[in-house]
């Protein structure tokens, strides 16, 4: 890496703590969830956010987009939402000079840098699938024509773990498209007290724009250049393979799991560990990066058997046993 290029990257990396401080002006606590969303952004992936109502999921995503000077769109998923409501539709228009009629593609809310798919499990599979091509290919196909999505591009889907009546759980193939599965917890007593004090008055924090879209794209390029040793890649490979009952040496996995994570999980763990290193202003991956990110990366890629569900065994417990 040339000296000029290295200086540019160091300048961008030094802005990341400032970015977290700006988000912290609006969002009290939830540092781990904010870190993981930023990791997904740096790694060029998407994330699924799960939490009970009232934990500021929407506000968190909107605040991050504002601090990043990125175009933000929110899609409220409902049972009657159609794919065209997401990707866009063609409308018949007329050229007033020639009188000629033609079809024009009106772009849907998917054409934004940050897209919040709110309560994604409330819409039928046909509409959920409309996100698949966008998430994987970074484009939308309509009427045989490809429309490129803006870069950087991040989809954050939310789901409510409480109300499951009338919902459509995401199929495993679509869950695997999400780089991270982030679980939001309740705030601590002090954090909740701070929320009550800071959100019920007249003061409204003013956010500064910290990074542009181009600077985020540069940081995504840097993320892939971060060093990771062969030993750590070997550890990731063993960890992912140990989640599969047929090849695992773990009695815990054999007892409670139906099937484990595929190779995409290993790729995600390497890339996200590099992104976490960048977020912590390092240019090399350390074991802590892998151990911390194993949970949001593997928890939706491990399928528990019926007995495990009956005994309330969770995928996080499986991951904890494997890391031990």
């Amino acid at each position: 890496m040339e000296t000029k290029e290295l200086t540019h990257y160091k300048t961008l990396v030094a802005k990341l703590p400032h970015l977290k401080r700006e988000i912290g002006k609006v969002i009290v606590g939830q540092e781990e969830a904010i870190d993981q969303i930023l990791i997904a952004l740096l790694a060029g992936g998407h994330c699924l956010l799960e939490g009970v109502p009232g934990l500021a999921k929407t506000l968190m995503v909107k605040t991050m987009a504002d601090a990043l000077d990125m175009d933000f769109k929110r899609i409220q998923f409902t049972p009657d939402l159609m794919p065209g409501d997401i990707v866009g539709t063609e409308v018949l228009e007329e050229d007033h000079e020639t009188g000629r009629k033609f079809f024009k593609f009106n772009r849907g809310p998917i054409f934004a840098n940050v897209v919040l798919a709110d309560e994604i499990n409330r819409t039928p599979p046909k509409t959920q699938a409309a996100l698949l091509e966008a998430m994987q290919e970074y484009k939308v196909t309509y009427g045989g024509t490809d429309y490129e999505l803006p870069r950087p591009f991040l989809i954050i889907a939310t789901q409510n773990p409480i109300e499951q009546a009338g919902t459509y759980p995401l199929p495993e193939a679509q869950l695997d498209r999400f780089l991270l599965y982030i679980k939001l917890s309740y705030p601590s007593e002090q954090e909740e007290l701070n929320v009550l004090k800071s959100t019920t008055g007249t003061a409204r924090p003013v956010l500064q724009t910290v990074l542009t879209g181009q600077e985020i794209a540069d940081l995504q390029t840097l993320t892939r250049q971060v060093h990771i040793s062969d030993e750590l890649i070997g550890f990731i490979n063993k960890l992912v393979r140990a989640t599969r009952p047929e090849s695992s040496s773990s009695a815990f996995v054999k007892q409670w799991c139906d099937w484990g994570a595929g190779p995409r999980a290993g790729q995600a763990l390497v890339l996200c560990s590099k992104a976490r290193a960048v977020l912590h202003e390092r240019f090399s991956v350390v074991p802590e990066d892998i151990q911390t990110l194993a949970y949001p990366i593997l928890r939706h890629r491990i399928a528990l058997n019926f007995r495990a569900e009956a005994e309330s065994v969770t995928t996080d417990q499986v991951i904890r046993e494997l890391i031990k």
Side-chain angles (χ1 to χ4, degrees):
M1 196 181 294
E2 295 179 8
T3 307
K4 186 177 179 182
E5 188 182 22
L6 184 60
T7 304
H8 172 62
Y9 283 140
K10 282 183 175 179
T11 303
L12 294 183
V13 169
K15 290 184 177 183
L16 290 171
H18 182 199
L19 171 63
K20 289 169 68 175
R21 285 194 297 272
E22 285 300 304
I23 296 172
K25 286 181 181 179
V26 178
I27 304 299
V28 178
Q30 302 292 8
E31 286 93 351
E32 187 178 354
I34 291 168
D35 276 3
Q36 290 176 6
I37 291 173
L38 292 175
I39 285 167
L41 179 64
L42 292 175
H46 313 285
C47 47
L48 182 62
L49 206 56
E50 182 180 279
V52 299
L55 293 182
K57 297 187 290 292
T58 302
L59 182 62
M60 187 187 299
V61 179
K62 175 71 167 65
T63 302
M64 186 197 74
D66 288 344
L68 290 172
D69 188 27
M70 292 165 72
D71 189 24
F72 170 79
K73 293 284 174 64
R74 176 176 178 266
I75 307 171
Q76 181 64 52
F77 280 69
T78 56
D80 59 348
L81 193 75
M82 298 297 289
D85 298 326
I86 297 173
V87 301
T89 54
E90 281 187 334
V91 294
L92 187 62
E93 293 197 353
E94 182 178 347
D95 189 322
H96 296 295
E97 292 183 3
T98 63
R100 187 174 64 87
K101 290 183 172 62
F102 61 95
F103 282 101
K104 180 185 176 184
F105 180 67
N106 275 1
R107 300 181 177 218
I110 195 77
F111 288 88
N113 297 116
V114 180
V115 178
L116 178 65
D118 220 353
E119 295 193 283
I120 191 173
N121 56 336
R122 294 224 167 270
T123 203
K126 181 180 180 181
T127 306
Q128 290 174 358
L131 287 176
L132 274 176
E133 183 189 22
M135 289 171 64
Q136 189 68 22
E137 305 295 337
Y138 294 92
K139 67 178 182 179
V140 165
T141 303
Y142 193 98
T145 304
D146 289 343
Y147 298 92
E148 294 292 326
L149 292 165
R151 297 291 190 97
F153 178 66
L154 171 68
I155 287 181
I156 301 176
T158 71
Q159 62 180 15
N160 178 355
I162 300 174
E163 297 177 59
Q164 295 303 327
T167 62
Y168 304 86
L170 290 168
E172 283 74 14
Q174 190 162 342
L175 274 175
D176 195 41
R177 304 278 179 178
F178 288 101
L179 198 65
L180 300 173
Y181 183 178
I182 303 167
K183 290 193 174 182
L184 282 182
S185 56
Y186 286 111
S188 66
E189 184 176 354
Q190 185 58 50
E191 287 171 348
E192 194 160 355
L193 189 62
N194 292 340
V195 169
L196 297 179
K197 288 179 178 178
S198 63
T199 59
T200 54
T202 57
R204 290 290 179 269
V206 178
L207 293 183
Q208 294 179 346
T209 300
V210 181
L211 289 166
T212 64
Q214 182 55 54
E215 287 174 331
I216 287 292
D218 290 346
L219 283 169
Q220 289 176 340
T221 301
L222 171 65
T223 296
R224 289 184 171 268
Q225 297 177 32
V226 168
H227 176 261
I228 180 169
S229 68
D230 289 344
E231 289 80 5
L232 289 181
I233 290 179
F235 172 72
I236 288 171
N237 191 38
K238 286 180 180 177
L239 178 62
V240 171
R241 291 181 65 83
T243 65
R244 304 166 193 165
E246 67 277 5
S247 60
S248 180
S249 59
S250 166
F252 199 87
V253 169
K254 291 180 182 295
Q255 182 179 3
W256 301 115
C257 297
D258 259 351
W259 45 267
R264 188 180 280 156
Q267 293 172 320
L269 199 42
V270 171
L271 199 52
C272 287
S273 296
K274 290 183 175 186
R276 187 177 187 272
V278 171
L279 194 62
H280 286 78
E281 301 182 74
R282 286 184 275 105
F283 293 94
S284 184
V285 173
V286 297
E288 184 192 349
D289 296 325
I290 299 167
Q291 291 167 6
T292 302
L293 289 167
Y295 294 94
I297 285 172
L298 294 175
R299 64 167 55 114
H300 58 300
R301 294 180 164 103
I302 297 173
L304 300 174
N305 56 32
F306 179 76
R307 184 181 170 196
E309 292 177 12
E311 296 286 336
S312 299
V313 174
T314 65
T315 52
D316 280 16
Q317 287 175 260
V318 174
I319 298 162
R320 196 174 297 116
E321 286 293 322
L322 290 175
I323 289 177
K324 272 195 218 171

